[in-house]
Amino acid sequence: MIRIAEGYSFDEIAKELDFESASDLLQKLNEARVEYAGMAKAWYEVKGDDDEQKRLVQVG
């Protein structure tokens, strides 16, 4: 995703990573998103709890 933000096209990235096409790269990215979505959600919730606790300590 960083490389996309840097201006590289999906086609350029797919070619460099030896995918047959940009569609194959997008499919693999979607599979990774699905696989890691639950972990990302849990991390975000824990991080949010930690941030809230830090705010309470700073206020108190």
Side-chain angles (χ1 to χ4, degrees):
M1 302 316 299
I2 292 170
R3 297 185 73 206
I4 294 297
E6 291 174 346
Y8 292 93
S9 71
F10 280 104
D11 288 323
E12 291 170 317
I13 297 167
K15 183 177 179 182
E16 187 174 314
L17 295 174
D18 295 325
F19 284 94
E20 290 186 24
S21 67
S23 295
D24 290 340
L25 172 61
L26 291 171
Q27 177 64 34
K28 196 66 165 176
L29 287 171
N30 191 51
E31 289 171 9
R33 180 191 63 79
V34 169
E35 183 173 341
Y36 293 106
M39 288 180 266
K41 181 181 178 195
W43 176 83
Y44 182 78
E45 289 171 352
V46 168
K47 184 179 180 321
D49 291 345
D50 288 347
D51 290 345
E52 179 64 25
Q53 216 167 19
K54 287 178 187 175
R55 279 192 293 271
L56 292 174
V57 169
Q58 289 175 351
V59 171

Short mmCIF file of all heavy atoms in Angstrom, two decimals:
data_model
loop_
_atom_site.label_atom_id
_atom_site.label_comp_id
_atom_site.label_asym_id
_atom_site.label_seq_id
_atom_site.Cartn_x
_atom_site.Cartn_y
_atom_site.Cartn_z
N MET A 1 0.83 -1.19 0.00
CA MET A 1 0.00 0.00 0.00
C MET A 1 0.87 1.25 0.00
O MET A 1 0.49 2.26 -0.58
CB MET A 1 -0.94 -0.02 1.20
CG MET A 1 -1.89 -1.25 1.27
SD MET A 1 -2.70 -1.79 -0.24
CE MET A 1 -3.67 -0.43 -0.74
N ILE A 2 2.01 1.17 0.64
CA ILE A 2 2.93 2.31 0.66
C ILE A 2 3.37 2.64 -0.76
O ILE A 2 3.43 3.80 -1.15
CB ILE A 2 4.14 2.03 1.58
CG1 ILE A 2 3.68 1.97 3.02
CG2 ILE A 2 5.22 3.08 1.39
CD1 ILE A 2 4.72 1.47 3.99
N ARG A 3 3.66 1.60 -1.53
CA ARG A 3 4.13 1.83 -2.90
C ARG A 3 3.05 2.45 -3.76
O ARG A 3 3.34 3.28 -4.62
CB ARG A 3 4.65 0.53 -3.48
CG ARG A 3 5.86 0.07 -2.63
CD ARG A 3 6.55 -1.12 -3.13
NE ARG A 3 7.31 -0.73 -4.30
CZ ARG A 3 7.64 -1.58 -5.25
NH1 ARG A 3 7.29 -2.84 -5.16
NH2 ARG A 3 8.31 -1.18 -6.29
N ILE A 4 1.80 2.08 -3.53
CA ILE A 4 0.69 2.71 -4.26
C ILE A 4 0.66 4.20 -3.89
O ILE A 4 0.53 5.06 -4.76
CB ILE A 4 -0.65 2.04 -3.92
CG1 ILE A 4 -0.68 0.60 -4.43
CG2 ILE A 4 -1.82 2.84 -4.47
CD1 ILE A 4 -0.59 0.44 -5.93
N ALA A 5 0.80 4.49 -2.61
CA ALA A 5 0.81 5.89 -2.16
C ALA A 5 1.99 6.66 -2.75
O ALA A 5 1.91 7.87 -2.96
CB ALA A 5 0.85 5.95 -0.63
N GLU A 6 3.07 5.95 -3.04
CA GLU A 6 4.25 6.59 -3.64
C GLU A 6 4.08 6.81 -5.14
O GLU A 6 4.94 7.42 -5.77
CB GLU A 6 5.50 5.75 -3.38
CG GLU A 6 5.93 5.74 -1.93
CD GLU A 6 7.08 4.78 -1.65
OE1 GLU A 6 7.38 3.91 -2.51
OE2 GLU A 6 7.67 4.89 -0.57
N GLY A 7 2.99 6.30 -5.71
CA GLY A 7 2.71 6.56 -7.11
C GLY A 7 2.94 5.39 -8.05
O GLY A 7 2.73 5.51 -9.25
N TYR A 8 3.36 4.24 -7.52
CA TYR A 8 3.52 3.07 -8.38
C TYR A 8 2.15 2.52 -8.73
O TYR A 8 1.22 2.57 -7.94
CB TYR A 8 4.33 1.97 -7.66
CG TYR A 8 5.77 2.33 -7.42
CD1 TYR A 8 6.18 2.92 -6.24
CD2 TYR A 8 6.72 2.07 -8.40
CE1 TYR A 8 7.51 3.24 -6.02
CE2 TYR A 8 8.06 2.38 -8.19
CZ TYR A 8 8.44 2.97 -7.00
OH TYR A 8 9.75 3.29 -6.79
N SER A 9 2.03 1.97 -9.93
CA SER A 9 0.76 1.38 -10.33
C SER A 9 0.69 -0.07 -9.83
O SER A 9 1.71 -0.69 -9.54
CB SER A 9 0.61 1.40 -11.85
OG SER A 9 1.49 0.46 -12.45
N PHE A 10 -0.52 -0.59 -9.78
CA PHE A 10 -0.69 -1.99 -9.41
C PHE A 10 0.03 -2.89 -10.41
O PHE A 10 0.60 -3.90 -10.04
CB PHE A 10 -2.18 -2.37 -9.32
CG PHE A 10 -2.83 -1.94 -8.04
CD1 PHE A 10 -3.67 -0.84 -8.01
CD2 PHE A 10 -2.61 -2.63 -6.86
CE1 PHE A 10 -4.28 -0.44 -6.82
CE2 PHE A 10 -3.21 -2.25 -5.67
CZ PHE A 10 -4.05 -1.15 -5.66
N ASP A 11 0.00 -2.51 -11.67
CA ASP A 11 0.69 -3.31 -12.70
C ASP A 11 2.19 -3.37 -12.43
O ASP A 11 2.80 -4.44 -12.54
CB ASP A 11 0.43 -2.74 -14.09
CG ASP A 11 -0.99 -2.98 -14.57
OD1 ASP A 11 -1.53 -4.06 -14.26
OD2 ASP A 11 -1.54 -2.10 -15.24
N GLU A 12 2.80 -2.23 -12.08
CA GLU A 12 4.24 -2.21 -11.80
C GLU A 12 4.58 -3.08 -10.60
O GLU A 12 5.55 -3.84 -10.63
CB GLU A 12 4.70 -0.77 -11.54
CG GLU A 12 4.66 0.13 -12.74
CD GLU A 12 4.90 1.58 -12.40
OE1 GLU A 12 4.33 2.09 -11.40
OE2 GLU A 12 5.66 2.22 -13.14
N ILE A 13 3.80 -2.98 -9.56
CA ILE A 13 4.05 -3.75 -8.35
C ILE A 13 3.84 -5.23 -8.61
O ILE A 13 4.65 -6.06 -8.19
CB ILE A 13 3.16 -3.25 -7.19
CG1 ILE A 13 3.51 -1.79 -6.87
CG2 ILE A 13 3.31 -4.14 -5.96
CD1 ILE A 13 2.50 -1.11 -5.97
N ALA A 14 2.77 -5.57 -9.30
CA ALA A 14 2.49 -6.98 -9.61
C ALA A 14 3.63 -7.59 -10.41
O ALA A 14 4.07 -8.71 -10.13
CB ALA A 14 1.18 -7.09 -10.38
N LYS A 15 4.13 -6.86 -11.39
CA LYS A 15 5.23 -7.37 -12.22
C LYS A 15 6.48 -7.61 -11.37
O LYS A 15 7.14 -8.64 -11.47
CB LYS A 15 5.53 -6.39 -13.35
CG LYS A 15 6.59 -6.87 -14.30
CD LYS A 15 6.79 -5.88 -15.43
CE LYS A 15 7.89 -6.38 -16.36
NZ LYS A 15 8.14 -5.44 -17.45
N GLU A 16 6.81 -6.65 -10.51
CA GLU A 16 8.00 -6.77 -9.67
C GLU A 16 7.89 -7.93 -8.68
O GLU A 16 8.88 -8.58 -8.36
CB GLU A 16 8.24 -5.47 -8.91
CG GLU A 16 9.54 -5.47 -8.14
CD GLU A 16 9.84 -4.12 -7.52
OE1 GLU A 16 9.69 -3.10 -8.22
OE2 GLU A 16 10.21 -4.10 -6.33
N LEU A 17 6.67 -8.22 -8.22
CA LEU A 17 6.45 -9.30 -7.26
C LEU A 17 6.14 -10.64 -7.94
O LEU A 17 5.75 -11.60 -7.28
CB LEU A 17 5.32 -8.92 -6.30
CG LEU A 17 5.62 -7.73 -5.39
CD1 LEU A 17 4.38 -7.37 -4.57
CD2 LEU A 17 6.79 -8.01 -4.47
N ASP A 18 6.30 -10.68 -9.24
CA ASP A 18 6.11 -11.90 -10.04
C ASP A 18 4.67 -12.43 -10.05
O ASP A 18 4.46 -13.63 -10.13
CB ASP A 18 7.08 -13.01 -9.60
CG ASP A 18 8.53 -12.64 -9.86
OD1 ASP A 18 8.79 -11.96 -10.89
OD2 ASP A 18 9.39 -13.01 -9.05
N PHE A 19 3.69 -11.53 -9.94
CA PHE A 19 2.30 -11.93 -10.15
C PHE A 19 2.03 -11.89 -11.65
O PHE A 19 2.66 -11.13 -12.38
CB PHE A 19 1.34 -10.97 -9.43
CG PHE A 19 1.27 -11.18 -7.95
CD1 PHE A 19 2.07 -10.45 -7.09
CD2 PHE A 19 0.40 -12.11 -7.41
CE1 PHE A 19 2.01 -10.64 -5.73
CE2 PHE A 19 0.33 -12.30 -6.05
CZ PHE A 19 1.14 -11.58 -5.20
N GLU A 20 1.09 -12.71 -12.10
CA GLU A 20 0.77 -12.73 -13.52
C GLU A 20 0.06 -11.45 -13.97
O GLU A 20 0.18 -11.04 -15.11
CB GLU A 20 -0.07 -13.95 -13.86
CG GLU A 20 0.73 -15.25 -13.78
CD GLU A 20 -0.07 -16.44 -14.26
OE1 GLU A 20 -1.01 -16.25 -15.05
OE2 GLU A 20 0.26 -17.56 -13.84
N SER A 21 -0.70 -10.85 -13.04
CA SER A 21 -1.44 -9.64 -13.40
C SER A 21 -1.73 -8.82 -12.13
O SER A 21 -1.58 -9.31 -11.02
CB SER A 21 -2.76 -10.00 -14.08
OG SER A 21 -3.62 -10.64 -13.15
N ALA A 22 -2.18 -7.60 -12.38
CA ALA A 22 -2.60 -6.75 -11.25
C ALA A 22 -3.80 -7.36 -10.55
O ALA A 22 -3.94 -7.23 -9.33
CB ALA A 22 -2.90 -5.34 -11.74
N SER A 23 -4.65 -8.05 -11.29
CA SER A 23 -5.82 -8.72 -10.69
C SER A 23 -5.39 -9.77 -9.68
O SER A 23 -6.01 -9.91 -8.62
CB SER A 23 -6.69 -9.37 -11.77
OG SER A 23 -7.24 -8.40 -12.60
N ASP A 24 -4.34 -10.52 -10.01
CA ASP A 24 -3.83 -11.52 -9.07
C ASP A 24 -3.30 -10.86 -7.80
O ASP A 24 -3.52 -11.35 -6.70
CB ASP A 24 -2.72 -12.36 -9.72
CG ASP A 24 -3.22 -13.28 -10.80
OD1 ASP A 24 -4.44 -13.56 -10.83
OD2 ASP A 24 -2.40 -13.72 -11.63
N LEU A 25 -2.61 -9.73 -7.96
CA LEU A 25 -2.10 -8.98 -6.81
C LEU A 25 -3.26 -8.50 -5.94
O LEU A 25 -3.25 -8.65 -4.72
CB LEU A 25 -1.25 -7.80 -7.26
CG LEU A 25 -0.81 -6.82 -6.19
CD1 LEU A 25 0.04 -7.48 -5.11
CD2 LEU A 25 -0.07 -5.63 -6.80
N LEU A 26 -4.28 -7.95 -6.57
CA LEU A 26 -5.44 -7.46 -5.82
C LEU A 26 -6.16 -8.59 -5.10
O LEU A 26 -6.61 -8.42 -3.96
CB LEU A 26 -6.41 -6.72 -6.75
CG LEU A 26 -5.88 -5.39 -7.29
CD1 LEU A 26 -6.81 -4.86 -8.37
CD2 LEU A 26 -5.71 -4.39 -6.17
N GLN A 27 -6.25 -9.74 -5.73
CA GLN A 27 -6.87 -10.91 -5.10
C GLN A 27 -6.09 -11.30 -3.85
O GLN A 27 -6.66 -11.57 -2.79
CB GLN A 27 -6.94 -12.09 -6.07
CG GLN A 27 -7.51 -13.35 -5.48
CD GLN A 27 -8.95 -13.22 -5.04
OE1 GLN A 27 -9.74 -12.50 -5.67
NE2 GLN A 27 -9.32 -13.89 -3.97
N LYS A 28 -4.77 -11.33 -3.95
CA LYS A 28 -3.92 -11.70 -2.80
C LYS A 28 -4.04 -10.66 -1.69
O LYS A 28 -4.09 -11.01 -0.50
CB LYS A 28 -2.47 -11.84 -3.26
CG LYS A 28 -1.60 -12.56 -2.30
CD LYS A 28 -2.03 -14.00 -2.20
CE LYS A 28 -0.97 -14.82 -1.52
NZ LYS A 28 -1.39 -16.19 -1.33
N LEU A 29 -4.08 -9.39 -2.04
CA LEU A 29 -4.26 -8.34 -1.03
C LEU A 29 -5.60 -8.49 -0.32
O LEU A 29 -5.69 -8.31 0.90
CB LEU A 29 -4.16 -6.95 -1.67
CG LEU A 29 -2.77 -6.50 -2.09
CD1 LEU A 29 -2.86 -5.22 -2.90
CD2 LEU A 29 -1.87 -6.32 -0.88
N ASN A 30 -6.65 -8.82 -1.07
CA ASN A 30 -7.96 -9.01 -0.46
C ASN A 30 -7.97 -10.22 0.47
O ASN A 30 -8.55 -10.17 1.55
CB ASN A 30 -9.04 -9.15 -1.52
CG ASN A 30 -10.42 -9.08 -0.92
OD1 ASN A 30 -10.73 -8.16 -0.16
ND2 ASN A 30 -11.24 -10.07 -1.21
N GLU A 31 -7.30 -11.30 0.07
CA GLU A 31 -7.21 -12.48 0.93
C GLU A 31 -6.50 -12.13 2.24
O GLU A 31 -6.93 -12.56 3.32
CB GLU A 31 -6.45 -13.60 0.22
CG GLU A 31 -7.22 -14.24 -0.91
CD GLU A 31 -6.37 -15.20 -1.74
OE1 GLU A 31 -5.23 -15.52 -1.34
OE2 GLU A 31 -6.86 -15.63 -2.80
N ALA A 32 -5.45 -11.34 2.16
CA ALA A 32 -4.72 -10.92 3.36
C ALA A 32 -5.61 -10.04 4.24
O ALA A 32 -5.63 -10.18 5.47
CB ALA A 32 -3.45 -10.18 2.98
N ARG A 33 -6.37 -9.15 3.61
CA ARG A 33 -7.28 -8.27 4.36
C ARG A 33 -8.28 -9.10 5.14
O ARG A 33 -8.51 -8.87 6.34
CB ARG A 33 -8.00 -7.31 3.41
CG ARG A 33 -8.95 -6.36 4.10
CD ARG A 33 -9.82 -5.63 3.11
NE ARG A 33 -10.68 -6.51 2.34
CZ ARG A 33 -11.83 -7.03 2.79
NH1 ARG A 33 -12.24 -6.78 4.01
NH2 ARG A 33 -12.55 -7.82 2.02
N VAL A 34 -8.87 -10.08 4.49
CA VAL A 34 -9.87 -10.94 5.14
C VAL A 34 -9.23 -11.72 6.28
O VAL A 34 -9.78 -11.81 7.38
CB VAL A 34 -10.53 -11.88 4.10
CG1 VAL A 34 -11.36 -12.94 4.79
CG2 VAL A 34 -11.36 -11.08 3.12
N GLU A 35 -8.04 -12.27 6.04
CA GLU A 35 -7.37 -13.09 7.04
C GLU A 35 -6.99 -12.29 8.29
O GLU A 35 -7.11 -12.77 9.41
CB GLU A 35 -6.12 -13.73 6.45
CG GLU A 35 -5.41 -14.65 7.41
CD GLU A 35 -4.27 -15.42 6.77
OE1 GLU A 35 -4.23 -15.53 5.55
OE2 GLU A 35 -3.42 -15.91 7.54
N TYR A 36 -6.53 -11.07 8.09
CA TYR A 36 -6.02 -10.29 9.22
C TYR A 36 -7.01 -9.28 9.78
O TYR A 36 -6.70 -8.59 10.76
CB TYR A 36 -4.72 -9.57 8.81
CG TYR A 36 -3.61 -10.54 8.55
CD1 TYR A 36 -3.19 -10.82 7.26
CD2 TYR A 36 -3.01 -11.22 9.60
CE1 TYR A 36 -2.18 -11.74 7.02
CE2 TYR A 36 -1.99 -12.13 9.37
CZ TYR A 36 -1.58 -12.38 8.09
OH TYR A 36 -0.58 -13.29 7.85
N ALA A 37 -8.20 -9.17 9.22
CA ALA A 37 -9.17 -8.18 9.68
C ALA A 37 -9.53 -8.36 11.15
O ALA A 37 -9.63 -7.38 11.90
CB ALA A 37 -10.43 -8.23 8.81
N GLY A 38 -9.72 -9.59 11.59
CA GLY A 38 -10.07 -9.84 12.99
C GLY A 38 -8.97 -9.41 13.94
O GLY A 38 -9.23 -8.81 14.99
N MET A 39 -7.74 -9.69 13.57
CA MET A 39 -6.61 -9.27 14.42
C MET A 39 -6.48 -7.76 14.45
O MET A 39 -6.19 -7.17 15.49
CB MET A 39 -5.31 -9.91 13.92
CG MET A 39 -5.23 -11.39 14.19
SD MET A 39 -3.70 -12.10 13.59
CE MET A 39 -4.24 -12.66 11.99
N ALA A 40 -6.67 -7.13 13.31
CA ALA A 40 -6.59 -5.67 13.25
C ALA A 40 -7.66 -5.03 14.12
O ALA A 40 -7.40 -4.06 14.84
CB ALA A 40 -6.71 -5.20 11.81
N LYS A 41 -8.87 -5.59 14.07
CA LYS A 41 -9.96 -5.06 14.89
C LYS A 41 -9.64 -5.20 16.38
O LYS A 41 -9.82 -4.25 17.15
CB LYS A 41 -11.26 -5.79 14.57
CG LYS A 41 -12.43 -5.28 15.36
CD LYS A 41 -13.70 -6.02 15.04
CE LYS A 41 -14.82 -5.49 15.91
NZ LYS A 41 -15.97 -6.36 15.93
N ALA A 42 -9.14 -6.36 16.78
CA ALA A 42 -8.79 -6.59 18.19
C ALA A 42 -7.68 -5.63 18.63
O ALA A 42 -7.75 -5.05 19.71
CB ALA A 42 -8.36 -8.03 18.41
N TRP A 43 -6.67 -5.45 17.77
CA TRP A 43 -5.57 -4.54 18.11
C TRP A 43 -6.09 -3.12 18.26
O TRP A 43 -5.74 -2.41 19.20
CB TRP A 43 -4.50 -4.59 17.01
CG TRP A 43 -3.39 -3.62 17.24
CD1 TRP A 43 -2.30 -3.79 18.03
CD2 TRP A 43 -3.28 -2.30 16.68
NE1 TRP A 43 -1.51 -2.67 17.99
CE2 TRP A 43 -2.09 -1.74 17.17
CE3 TRP A 43 -4.07 -1.56 15.81
CZ2 TRP A 43 -1.67 -0.47 16.82
CZ3 TRP A 43 -3.65 -0.29 15.46
CH2 TRP A 43 -2.47 0.24 15.97
N TYR A 44 -6.96 -2.70 17.35
CA TYR A 44 -7.51 -1.36 17.40
C TYR A 44 -8.31 -1.14 18.68
O TYR A 44 -8.21 -0.09 19.32
CB TYR A 44 -8.38 -1.11 16.16
CG TYR A 44 -8.95 0.27 16.10
CD1 TYR A 44 -8.16 1.34 15.70
CD2 TYR A 44 -10.27 0.51 16.43
CE1 TYR A 44 -8.68 2.63 15.63
CE2 TYR A 44 -10.81 1.79 16.37
CZ TYR A 44 -10.00 2.85 15.97
OH TYR A 44 -10.52 4.12 15.92
N GLU A 45 -9.10 -2.14 19.06
CA GLU A 45 -9.90 -2.02 20.28
C GLU A 45 -9.01 -1.94 21.52
O GLU A 45 -9.25 -1.14 22.41
CB GLU A 45 -10.88 -3.18 20.38
CG GLU A 45 -12.00 -3.09 19.36
CD GLU A 45 -12.86 -4.33 19.28
OE1 GLU A 45 -12.52 -5.36 19.91
OE2 GLU A 45 -13.88 -4.28 18.56
N VAL A 46 -7.97 -2.77 21.58
CA VAL A 46 -7.04 -2.74 22.72
C VAL A 46 -6.31 -1.41 22.75
O VAL A 46 -6.15 -0.79 23.79
CB VAL A 46 -6.05 -3.93 22.65
CG1 VAL A 46 -4.92 -3.74 23.65
CG2 VAL A 46 -6.78 -5.23 22.91
N LYS A 47 -5.86 -0.95 21.60
CA LYS A 47 -5.16 0.33 21.52
C LYS A 47 -6.07 1.45 21.99
O LYS A 47 -5.66 2.33 22.72
CB LYS A 47 -4.68 0.60 20.10
CG LYS A 47 -3.86 1.86 19.97
CD LYS A 47 -3.42 2.04 18.54
CE LYS A 47 -2.60 3.28 18.33
NZ LYS A 47 -3.00 4.47 19.04
N GLY A 48 -7.34 1.40 21.59
CA GLY A 48 -8.30 2.41 22.02
C GLY A 48 -8.48 2.41 23.52
O GLY A 48 -8.55 3.46 24.16
N ASP A 49 -8.52 1.21 24.13
CA ASP A 49 -8.63 1.10 25.58
C ASP A 49 -7.40 1.68 26.25
O ASP A 49 -7.50 2.39 27.25
CB ASP A 49 -8.80 -0.36 26.01
CG ASP A 49 -10.14 -0.94 25.61
OD1 ASP A 49 -11.06 -0.15 25.27
OD2 ASP A 49 -10.28 -2.17 25.64
N ASP A 50 -6.21 1.40 25.71
CA ASP A 50 -4.96 1.94 26.26
C ASP A 50 -4.94 3.46 26.17
O ASP A 50 -4.54 4.15 27.11
CB ASP A 50 -3.74 1.38 25.53
CG ASP A 50 -3.48 -0.07 25.85
OD1 ASP A 50 -4.08 -0.60 26.82
OD2 ASP A 50 -2.68 -0.70 25.12
N ASP A 51 -5.38 4.01 25.03
CA ASP A 51 -5.41 5.46 24.86
C ASP A 51 -6.36 6.11 25.85
O ASP A 51 -6.06 7.16 26.42
CB ASP A 51 -5.81 5.83 23.43
CG ASP A 51 -4.74 5.48 22.40
OD1 ASP A 51 -3.58 5.22 22.81
OD2 ASP A 51 -5.05 5.47 21.19
N GLU A 52 -7.51 5.49 26.08
CA GLU A 52 -8.49 6.02 27.03
C GLU A 52 -7.92 6.01 28.43
O GLU A 52 -8.07 6.97 29.19
CB GLU A 52 -9.79 5.21 26.97
CG GLU A 52 -10.86 5.68 27.94
CD GLU A 52 -11.36 7.08 27.66
OE1 GLU A 52 -11.28 7.53 26.51
OE2 GLU A 52 -11.85 7.72 28.61
N GLN A 53 -7.23 4.95 28.78
CA GLN A 53 -6.63 4.85 30.12
C GLN A 53 -5.55 5.92 30.30
O GLN A 53 -5.46 6.54 31.36
CB GLN A 53 -6.03 3.46 30.31
CG GLN A 53 -6.19 2.93 31.70
CD GLN A 53 -5.87 1.45 31.79
OE1 GLN A 53 -5.22 0.86 30.93
NE2 GLN A 53 -6.34 0.83 32.84
N LYS A 54 -4.75 6.18 29.27
CA LYS A 54 -3.72 7.22 29.34
C LYS A 54 -4.36 8.59 29.55
O LYS A 54 -3.86 9.39 30.31
CB LYS A 54 -2.87 7.22 28.06
CG LYS A 54 -1.93 6.05 27.98
CD LYS A 54 -1.16 6.07 26.66
CE LYS A 54 -0.35 4.83 26.48
NZ LYS A 54 0.30 4.78 25.17
N ARG A 55 -5.47 8.84 28.85
CA ARG A 55 -6.15 10.14 29.01
C ARG A 55 -6.67 10.30 30.44
O ARG A 55 -6.58 11.36 31.04
CB ARG A 55 -7.31 10.25 28.02
CG ARG A 55 -6.89 10.66 26.63
CD ARG A 55 -8.09 11.04 25.78
NE ARG A 55 -8.96 9.91 25.49
CZ ARG A 55 -8.83 9.10 24.44
NH1 ARG A 55 -7.88 9.31 23.59
NH2 ARG A 55 -9.66 8.10 24.25
N LEU A 56 -7.20 9.21 31.02
CA LEU A 56 -7.71 9.29 32.38
C LEU A 56 -6.58 9.56 33.36
O LEU A 56 -6.75 10.33 34.32
CB LEU A 56 -8.44 8.00 32.74
CG LEU A 56 -9.76 7.74 32.01
CD1 LEU A 56 -10.29 6.37 32.37
CD2 LEU A 56 -10.78 8.82 32.33
N VAL A 57 -5.44 8.96 33.16
CA VAL A 57 -4.28 9.17 34.04
C VAL A 57 -3.80 10.61 33.92
O VAL A 57 -3.47 11.25 34.92
CB VAL A 57 -3.15 8.17 33.71
CG1 VAL A 57 -1.87 8.53 34.43
CG2 VAL A 57 -3.58 6.76 34.08
N GLN A 58 -3.76 11.15 32.71
CA GLN A 58 -3.30 12.52 32.50
C GLN A 58 -4.24 13.52 33.13
O GLN A 58 -3.83 14.53 33.67
CB GLN A 58 -3.14 12.81 31.01
CG GLN A 58 -1.97 12.09 30.38
CD GLN A 58 -1.91 12.29 28.88
OE1 GLN A 58 -2.84 12.84 28.27
NE2 GLN A 58 -0.83 11.83 28.27
N VAL A 59 -5.54 13.26 33.07
CA VAL A 59 -6.53 14.18 33.63
C VAL A 59 -6.51 14.11 35.16
O VAL A 59 -6.61 15.12 35.84
CB VAL A 59 -7.96 13.84 33.10
CG1 VAL A 59 -9.01 14.64 33.83
CG2 VAL A 59 -8.02 14.10 31.60
N GLY A 60 -6.35 12.90 35.69
CA GLY A 60 -6.42 12.68 37.14
C GLY A 60 -5.16 13.01 37.77
O GLY A 60 -4.69 13.74 38.47
#
